[in-house]
Structure formats: C-alpha cells, structure tokens
Amino acid sequence: MRESSSQYISSGLESEVTQKKAAGSPGPETDVDPQTPVLRISQLDALELDSALEQLLWTQFSQCFQNCRPGLLTPLEPELRALLQLLLWRFTLYSSSATVGQSLLSLRYHNTLSSSPRYRPLSRRQKLVLALLTLGPRWLQERSHSLLLCLGLSAGGPVSEGDSGFLQQGLRSCLTLVSSIAQLASLINFLVFLRKGRHPVLAERIAGARAVFSKPNVVRDVTYQYMNRELLWHGFAEFLIFLLPLINTRKLKATVSSIVFGGESAIGEGATEGQGVSKECGLCGEWPTMPHTIGCRHVFCYYCIKSHSIAEACLTCPKCGAEAGHPEPVKMEVEMIGR
C-alpha cells in the first residue's frame, strides 16, 4: 500500500511539474525556430476547428436539456455559451498556450512582445487579454438587442424628446460608429494577414500572440496520389451535376419498369382497367381531385399534374412513360350506394 501510494504521489507531482512547465516555462521544445513561417491555411484551419469544437460542445450541452421545457436555455444562451467557451479556454489555451485546433495542427502561440529570439509562451496577461477580446465581442453581439432595449436604444425605436432624446440618439450613433470601426478594423487585419501571413484575428495582433510550430520540421505534406484522387472525384462530381438535369429519370424509370414487369403489369392492368386506374392519382396515389389526363389512360390530380408540368418542360407519364400533352379534365362516374 505504501509503495502504491508513493508512486501515486510521485506521479501527481510529476504531472504538476509538467503542467507548470507548459504554462510558464519554455519546456523541452525550445529548439523550434519561432521565425519559421506558418501556412495561412493552417492558421485558418485551426480557427475553424476551434469553432467546430465550440459548436459541438454547445450541442452536447443543449441535448442534456432536450426533455425539459422548450426554450428553457434561450434567455441565458449568450451567458451559457460564454461560460462554456471560458471553460474551454481555461483547460486549453491557459494551460498550454495553444487551442485545440492548433494542437491538432502542431501549432501554438508565441509571445511576440518578448525580445528573445527563442520561443516564449504567452504570459497570463496576454492569455487574459486574448480571452477577453475573443469572448467579449461575441457576448456583446448576442446580447446587443437586449442591452439596447434596456437602454431604450432599440434599432428603429422612437426617440423621446428633450435632453434624454438627444442622449439616446447620441448613444445610438456612438454604438453604430464603434461597431462599424470594429468591423472595418477586422477587415483590414484580415487583408494584412493575407499579405504577410500573421495574426488572422485582430485579437491576436492586439494581445501580441502569433501562431508558430510546436514541433520542428512540421510540413503540411499532401501527396500527389491524394491530389489526383481529389481532382478526379471533383471533376466527376461536376460532370454528374451537369449531366443529371438532362436525364428524364421518370421516363427512364417507366421504361425500365415496363421492360422488366411488362407482361405481369399488362395482365394486371387488363383485369383492373376502368377500376384502379381512375381511382387514384398517378403522382400522389390518392383519390384524384379535379381529375385530369395528359393523353394516356392514367388520371392525375389537377394540382399535381399542373405543378409537375410547370417544373418539367418535357413531362412524361410516370406510370407508362407516354409523352404528356395538355392536361384535360376527365369525367368520372361515381356510384352512390344508399343504405
């Protein structure tokens, strides 16, 4: 028992030491040159993976309340999303200076504010600033409507007269201006990122965080076999997209069914001619409403055949494959049976 407990304690101490090294000290992987450029697609893929993980986490969390009253989480959805993102930030970026998407792509954040040429992890202040600039605008965007209603500044709402009216109008103009400036700054930052390949998000540029490789000699290698396969399937998919609309699938289906089941269907239809044909629509299978025919002996609902004739220029009967003519009304004899 003593040996097992001592081993457990020693393993716990070792894990704490490794966590501290990952959080504060450079660690054993300091031989990676932070000046090595990272592909732009890798940085964008890391952001997409982080977004997909956040959405997956929210989906799993909301499914826990699927048997409760509908709309239970709606009033607090922005706060719950921010809380889940904060928990995810605490156990990923705060502890290892890398998000989940970056870890999957062998990336991590480097402290650009440090003058050292070697790798330096983010400081606590930088991690807090990055979390605040990432989570804060999202929460404000989701809560903007409620906050504006509380302040009486809803979009398109009436403005009261007097000093309070001028104050509301001024606040609304300031909020609109700040939002426009933030969106313009994000656009300019993204254009600079496309030019220089650094800081795809404005929050990273403000916090002084840059994505670098976490392992040496990491190359995003794509073999020619994979590229050829992707190009082949992509060309095949485009060919099918172009070809399928030109094929009359209903006529082809009717032709194949007449060839395969021609004899049996002819016998069956001969026995039930005048009975089953006129009792159901050839498209919806229900009793025909305002029955119409298109030149063959099958009957269709007026709305069914009219909508299909509008959707398809060359309409054929789905039962026998005959070319469709102009829909004409059919007079049906209905036998009334009294008690």
Side-chain angles (χ1 to χ4, degrees), residues 57 183 190 276:
L57 188 62
Q183 294 178 0
F190 188 74

Side-chain angles (χ1 to χ4, degrees), residues 225-242:
Q225 183 179 3
Y226 174 79
M227 293 176 62
N228 291 333
R229 185 169 64 250
E230 288 296 317
L231 290 174
L232 178 63
W233 282 109
H234 183 70
F236 184 68
E238 287 188 347
F239 175 73
L240 288 180
I241 292 174
F242 172 77

Side-chain angles (χ1 to χ4, degrees), residues 94-124:
Y94 186 80
S95 60
S96 60
S97 293
T99 63
V100 177
Q102 290 177 339
S103 300
L104 293 175
L105 298 175
S106 300
L107 301 177
R108 59 182 175 181
Y109 278 126
H110 168 64
N111 186 0
T112 58
L113 302 180
S114 176
S115 58
S116 175
R118 302 175 67 86
Y119 169 76
R120 288 292 180 269
L122 299 180
S123 62
R124 292 185 177 180

Side-chain angles (χ1 to χ4, degrees), residues 174-243:
C174 290
L175 291 176
T176 305
L177 180 62
V178 169
S179 177
S180 302
I181 292 175
Q183 294 178 0
L184 180 61
S186 299
L187 177 61
I188 295 175
N189 176 79
F190 188 74
L191 294 177
V192 174
F193 162 74
L194 294 179
R195 178 67 178 85
K196 297 185 176 181
R198 297 182 178 183
H199 309 294
V201 182
L202 184 61
E204 297 180 3
R205 189 177 299 274
I206 296 174
R210 180 168 60 88
V212 296
F213 287 113
S214 61
K215 297 178 182 179
N217 300 326
V218 176
V219 181
R220 191 186 176 104
D221 188 16
V222 180
T223 61
Y224 285 105
Q225 183 179 3
Y226 174 79
M227 293 176 62
N228 291 333
R229 185 169 64 250
E230 288 296 317
L231 290 174
L232 178 63
W233 282 109
H234 183 70
F236 184 68
E238 287 188 347
F239 175 73
L240 288 180
I241 292 174
F242 172 77
L243 182 63

